[in-house]
Amino acid sequence: MSMALIETVNITQKYGKQDIIKNISLKVDQGEVLALIGPTGAGKTTLLRLLDLLETPASGRIYFDGMEVTAGKHLRLQARRRMSFVLQKPVVFNMSVSDNIACGLKWRKEKEATVSQRVNSALELVGMTGYANRNARTLSGGETQLVAIARALAIAPEVLFLDEPTANLDPVSTARIEEVLAHIIGEQKTTVVMATHDMSQGQRLAGRIGVIINGELLQTGSPNDIFSTPQNTRVAELVGIGNILGGVIASRDNELVGIDVGGSIIQAISEHGIGAEVHALIRPEDVTLALHKDASSARNTFEGSITRIFPVGALVRVELACGFPLLTVVTRRSARDLNLAVGNRVYATFKATAVHVLKRWN
Amino acid sequence: MTELWEALVTAVKLIIAFDPEVMQIAGRSLAISATSSVIAALICLPLGAVIHFNRFPGKRTLINIIQTLFSLPTVAVGLFVFVLFSSAGPLGGFGIMFSPAVMVVGQVVLITPLMLGLIISALSATDKAITDTAVSLGASGFQMSVITFREARFGVLAGLIMGFGRAISEVGLSLMVGGNIRGFTRTITTAISLETSKGDLELALALGMILIFVALVINIGLNRIQQR
């Protein structure tokens, strides 16, 4: 058994009769950055609280650096003093910014000189040197988050837990916090476990992603694995694969299969045999729209009529009926160029390699 | 009406002149109640922390009982202390009946539920995230309690002051166990009650004004704390 820094074995947590965490076994290696993604209420925060030893699991074991920390109050305090946690809605103590940052150090009985030196470098790290003597309660949301991060980093934790570090923050503060996090991940090699519902943030910062839905850890893997080859439809939905089409493999030619989706045949790459019931997953951004059928290398071209158009930020989402419902996204500019309107007929094209095929279990 | 007016004028003169009797009674009142408050605080601060920070069966009920005892009648406490400390009582051996010491004991019993209850509610009013943050930053149980008290300090202080206010203004208890002995256990409230029944309104009014002045100072203090 390789020595992971943190390991959980079948941990569960219940609040009353409600199962919040269901049998999660997870390993986090030294220096690793793991992002937990999942919808709100999936159990991400509870899992972080269990890992940070703020809560004890209803069952299962947690190991930190080889020690079982599920039992024993003293051992838990010892282990906890090697970690720190930035809550989703961080609170600051009613004292100055620098006193806030010094708290964890004073509780560890660090020398006065060490405390002031570490406080200063933590303030510098988050770019808030000028705020040292301000009362922390007077700070804005973004500033409070930065102070909370500095306070968590001042103790030089071996593991940093972050719960939605940029939720409810403006884009400028978000960018600044991600910059700080990228720095500590890159320079200080701190092990980081963060919960986020922002997929792209997970992709930017983490080396590995764990997907939690409804208290279960459904899949862990590299960001690329999670986003391109989700292992089930719930993960697929979460990572924004807009098209999840049920069908049956009808034909096979080497790796290339034809999937019968309600009468239309979608060509894809799969190892499943003829007759296998599958889901064809297609990312909306992998589908292109055209007014005329053109000869491209893409294997799948379907004619359909537009049923719905709605703008999303800089993009436009277009829903088609082409034998099956198909969701695509185009830029505002191409929507204008193609003169897209509800009822218009267009051609949708995507490559066989853009289709991710998942075996259906239910 | 003129009689009342004259009494009022004499009372003000007594205060301005620092009349020895008035000052002695006021000083004794303050000393006894301050002592009771300090002792009650020394009991309530740690006890409040123990009750607030631990989970145990019957916690809710215990807090309900404490809150019910906020309005403990002073004469009931007086009776209880009297029975305990009278010469035939189980604690009669201390021989402190009708002395300032037994008045302090009675006042501590009287104000402990109030102080304790207000301290617990001040601690409960602090954000749960404060304790989580402290624990996650490596605070031990004791360090976490200290920072929570620090965050709840205004509410806690208000509780202590309320306790003092109840101690200095009660009369039934002091009368029953103190005995209103001149120069020994006579306090502002017992003196007012006696002098009024004797018809000596000047002294009663002077002491009454001092008591109201103390109440005013306490109230101003509380207001300033709550405005922070």
Side-chain angles (χ1 to χ4, degrees):
Chain A
M1 191 178 81
S2 74
M3 274 286 271
L5 184 61
I6 305 171
E7 183 174 358
T8 73
V9 182
N10 286 327
I11 54 167
T12 63
Q13 182 65 309
K14 289 179 207 282
Y15 291 161
K17 284 198 168 149
Q18 216 183 339
D19 292 315
I20 307 296
I21 295 292
K22 300 170 187 164
N23 271 316
I24 291 188
S25 295
L26 175 70
K27 278 185 187 180
V28 184
D29 288 326
Q30 179 94 52
E32 188 178 23
V33 179
L34 173 71
L36 300 170
I37 63 172
T40 322
K44 303 186 296 288
T45 299
T46 306
L47 182 58
L48 288 180
R49 290 175 61 88
L50 288 167
L51 295 177
D52 189 49
L53 311 176
L54 283 177
E55 289 181 17
T56 32
S59 68
R61 295 187 303 277
I62 299 174
Y63 295 89
F64 178 71
D65 200 10
M67 299 179 290
E68 189 185 336
V69 287
T70 337
K73 213 173 157 188
H74 185 66
L75 204 60
R76 288 168 67 80
L77 177 62
Q78 261 188 331
R80 200 190 291 119
R81 284 192 169 169
R82 295 166 64 185
M83 327 168 162
S84 53
F85 186 13
V86 180
L87 307 184
Q88 177 171 4
K89 286 188 191 127
V91 290
V92 284
F93 305 122
N94 193 358
M95 47 177 88
S96 75
V97 167
S98 53
D99 285 345
N100 259 280
I101 298 175
C103 272
L105 296 161
K106 285 183 181 158
W107 287 330
R108 283 166 181 73
K109 310 249 184 313
E110 299 284 355
K111 289 196 188 72
E112 196 97 359
T114 319
V115 174
S116 68
Q117 179 247 319
R118 293 259 202 98
V119 168
N120 287 334
S121 57
L123 276 171
E124 215 168 289
L125 184 65
V126 298
M128 292 191 65
T129 315
Y131 290 75
N133 297 320
R134 269 268 291 273
N135 183 303
R137 286 276 161 86
T138 64
L139 301 175
S140 73
E143 290 162 348
T144 302
Q145 187 83 34
L146 284 166
V147 169
I149 290 173
R151 186 172 60 184
L153 288 174
I155 60 164
E158 288 167 61
V159 193
L160 177 64
F161 297 102
L162 299 159
D163 192 2
E164 301 278 6
T166 59
N168 315 318
L169 290 184
D170 59 279
V172 177
S173 305
T174 300
R176 191 156 159 210
I177 282 163
E178 283 191 10
E179 212 175 288
V180 171
L181 294 180
H183 174 81
I184 61 154
I185 289 165
E187 303 282 310
Q188 304 185 352
K189 308 285 181 224
T190 309
T191 307
V192 176
V193 181
M194 60 190 289
T196 178
H197 67 266
D198 179 353
M199 310 298 149
S200 61
Q201 183 171 63
Q203 243 173 332
R204 282 193 296 278
L205 296 172
R208 196 156 66 103
I209 287 180
V211 182
I212 298 184
I213 296 175
N214 204 7
E216 290 175 81
L217 185 63
L218 291 179
Q219 187 176 356
T220 57
S222 70
N224 205 27
D225 283 348
I226 302 283
F227 288 94
S228 57
T229 57
Q231 277 164 14
N232 70 49
T233 50
R234 287 194 287 171
V235 177
E237 260 171 59
L238 181 75
V239 300
I241 297 184
N243 297 295
I244 301 175
L245 306 165
V248 179
I249 294 186
S251 66
R252 164 174 282 288
D253 176 10
N254 288 327
E255 285 194 301
L256 192 70
V257 294
I259 305 169
D260 182 344
V261 176
S264 306
I265 300 294
I266 293 176
Q267 310 226 42
I269 308 294
S270 168
E271 74 277 17
H272 297 302
I274 290 175
E277 297 198 321
V278 294
H279 283 292
L281 312 183
I282 307 155
R283 293 194 153 271
E285 53 272 32
D286 287 337
V287 180
T288 55
L289 292 182
L291 293 175
H292 306 286
K293 189 168 185 165
D294 68 344
S296 74
S297 65
R299 297 256 178 195
N300 295 299
T301 300
F302 297 94
E303 188 192 2
S305 67
I306 296 173
T307 54
R308 202 170 160 220
I309 298 178
F310 54 104
V312 180
L315 300 172
V316 179
R317 287 167 83 93
V318 182
E319 285 176 17
L320 292 181
C322 50
F324 50 87
L326 187 66
L327 177 68
T328 74
V329 286
V330 296
T331 61
R332 277 174 186 267
R333 188 197 175 92
S334 35
R336 220 173 26 243
D337 291 349
L338 293 168
N339 202 14
L340 296 182
V342 172
N344 283 9
R345 298 197 76 78
V346 288
Y347 288 92
T349 301
F350 50 91
K351 292 182 177 175
T353 51
V355 184
H356 173 55
V357 182
L358 257 187
K359 182 119 170 126
R360 254 198 285 176
W361 297 104
N362 40 8
Chain B
M1 192 63 213
T2 36
E3 215 173 290
L4 191 67
W5 178 247
E6 276 165 22
L8 201 63
V9 172
T10 319
V12 173
K13 280 183 185 160
L14 282 174
I15 295 173
I16 294 171
F18 285 100
D19 176 78
E21 171 130 45
V22 171
M23 290 304 132
Q24 204 190 41
I25 293 173
R28 187 177 305 116
S29 246
L30 284 170
I32 289 175
S33 298
T35 310
S36 330
S37 301
V38 168
I39 294 171
L42 290 176
I43 295 169
C44 292
L45 291 171
L47 192 58
V50 167
I51 294 172
H52 174 72
F53 290 113
N54 288 292
R55 260 189 292 179
F56 52 88
K59 177 171 175 171
R60 198 59 252 165
T61 315
L62 177 63
I63 292 174
N64 281 336
I65 292 171
I66 293 170
Q67 284 169 347
T68 308
L69 297 180
F70 281 11
S71 46
L72 202 57
T74 56
V75 284
V77 178
L79 180 63
F80 172 69
V81 174
F82 189 93
V83 168
L84 281 182
F85 286 92
S86 64
S87 52
L91 300 176
F94 284 104
I96 56 170
M97 202 56 206
F98 303 119
S99 75
V102 81
M103 294 165 75
V104 167
V105 171
Q107 289 189 352
V108 168
V109 173
L110 180 72
I111 67 176
T112 291
L114 181 65
M115 271 194 187
L116 190 59
L118 293 176
I119 287 170
I120 292 170
S121 51
L123 291 175
S124 311
T126 54
D127 197 338
K128 177 80 177 65
I130 289 284
T131 49
D132 279 344
T133 302
V135 172
S136 79
L137 287 169
S140 65
F142 180 71
Q143 290 165 334
M144 183 268 287
S145 312
V146 171
I147 190 94
T148 310
F149 265 108
R150 200 184 178 285
E151 291 297 306
R153 58 191 181 266
F154 300 133
V156 169
L157 200 56
L160 300 183
I161 292 176
M162 294 282 282
F164 174 75
R166 180 145 162 80
I168 199 160
S169 60
E170 67 79 25
V171 56
L173 169 71
S174 297
L175 210 49
M176 284 171 82
V177 300
N180 196 18
I181 302 164
R182 186 173 184 186
F184 187 46
T185 59
R186 183 163 298 174
T187 60
I188 297 180
T189 53
T190 59
I192 291 174
S193 134
L194 177 73
E195 300 304 326
T196 307
S197 59
K198 278 189 349 197
D200 184 1
L201 289 185
E202 292 89 351
L203 188 58
L205 275 171
L207 289 168
M209 280 188 269
I210 291 178
L211 192 58
I212 290 169
F213 178 73
V214 170
L216 185 72
V217 169
I218 288 173
N219 250 302
I220 291 171
L222 261 179
N223 269 324
R224 295 193 63 170
I225 286 167
Q226 277 154 2
Q227 276 162 14
R228 290 229 211 155

